[in-house]
Amino acid sequence: MLKTLARMKDARDRVGAWFAALTVIVGGAFLVWGPSDIVQAVPYAETIGGVSLAFGFLVVLAVTLRGSAGYRARSLLICCTAVLVAGGLGWWSWDAAQDVWALHERGEVRSVSVVGTTTRQNPKTRKIIRLTQVAIDGRRVSLDLGHLPRRGTVVEVLVAEDRPKAAVSSATPREWLPLIDAVVGRWIALLILGLLLACIVAAPFSLWNAIIGPRSPAP
């Protein structure tokens, strides 16, 4: 009975992996060979499409192959996933670090108008935080002022001229930890750092497994 349930679960997982792989392949093919007007509206469409196609076919190999070949394909899939996740987290972290650096080095207090409100969930307490939206150089920027001014109210914010999207409350001390907490949130920063380090460790380990294959059992 337990073996039958295990087989059913394995079959369900494989079917789910097949559908996921086909979805990624179809999406990648659409970005590469789809209508030109739609493709041109997506930044780096051909690059994203090519990566999606390769990733989708790799998932197919990982699900289909057995034995040593399947082990290598699954290890390579884990490696590619870790590299993609690390690349995305690295890009996001670099952008956030530039925001914090700009505020620390070149931040100045400016008076701006409130244009609305939005919400964000605190990952530590899971509470919903109400944020104020202000207009800075023609764009909406959300920040936590500690209160919710009415639309049209003029408030003071700390902002760097070359990176207006990184505005924070003018009451924020121009020190590293308070700025990190205001721009990203220290718990989000720690979570992203942990995931990034995990991916950096997993990528070469999985690549090594893909190269050498499964280890032979000890005699």
Side-chain angles (χ1 to χ4, degrees), residues 75-169:
S75 298
L76 186 58
L77 177 63
I78 294 174
C79 176
C80 292
T81 303
V83 169
L84 290 175
V85 173
L89 293 178
W91 176 85
W92 183 88
S93 301
W94 175 248
D95 186 65
Q98 286 183 302
D99 290 342
V100 174
W101 178 270
L103 289 171
H104 184 270
E105 298 296 322
R106 304 183 299 276
E108 60 180 13
V109 176
R110 292 170 54 180
S111 298
V112 294
S113 297
V114 175
V115 295
T117 60
T118 185
T119 58
R120 183 182 67 189
Q121 185 178 31
N122 187 318
K124 181 183 178 181
T125 62
R126 296 184 179 180
K127 292 182 179 179
I128 301 299
I129 302 174
R130 297 287 300 274
L131 302 177
T132 301
Q133 289 189 324
V134 298
I136 302 178
D137 296 340
R139 64 184 298 171
R140 284 177 173 247
V141 179
S142 300
L143 64 158
D144 185 6
L145 296 178
H147 62 288
L148 292 175
R150 294 182 178 180
R151 185 189 299 268
T153 304
V154 176
V155 296
E156 291 187 339
V157 299
L158 178 67
V159 59
E161 183 177 357
D162 55 333
R163 299 185 72 84
K165 69 181 183 65
V168 298
S169 170

Side-chain angles (χ1 to χ4, degrees), residues 148-209:
L148 292 175
R150 294 182 178 180
R151 185 189 299 268
T153 304
V154 176
V155 296
E156 291 187 339
V157 299
L158 178 67
V159 59
E161 183 177 357
D162 55 333
R163 299 185 72 84
K165 69 181 183 65
V168 298
S169 170
S170 60
T172 305
R174 199 178 299 187
E175 299 176 1
W176 293 115
L177 286 179
L179 288 174
I180 291 174
D181 202 21
V183 174
V184 215
R186 67 185 65 184
W187 295 105
I188 294 179
L190 289 174
L191 176 62
I192 296 299
L193 180 60
L195 290 175
L196 184 59
L197 292 176
C199 291
I200 291 175
V201 172
F205 181 78
S206 301
L207 180 61
W208 177 253
N209 287 339

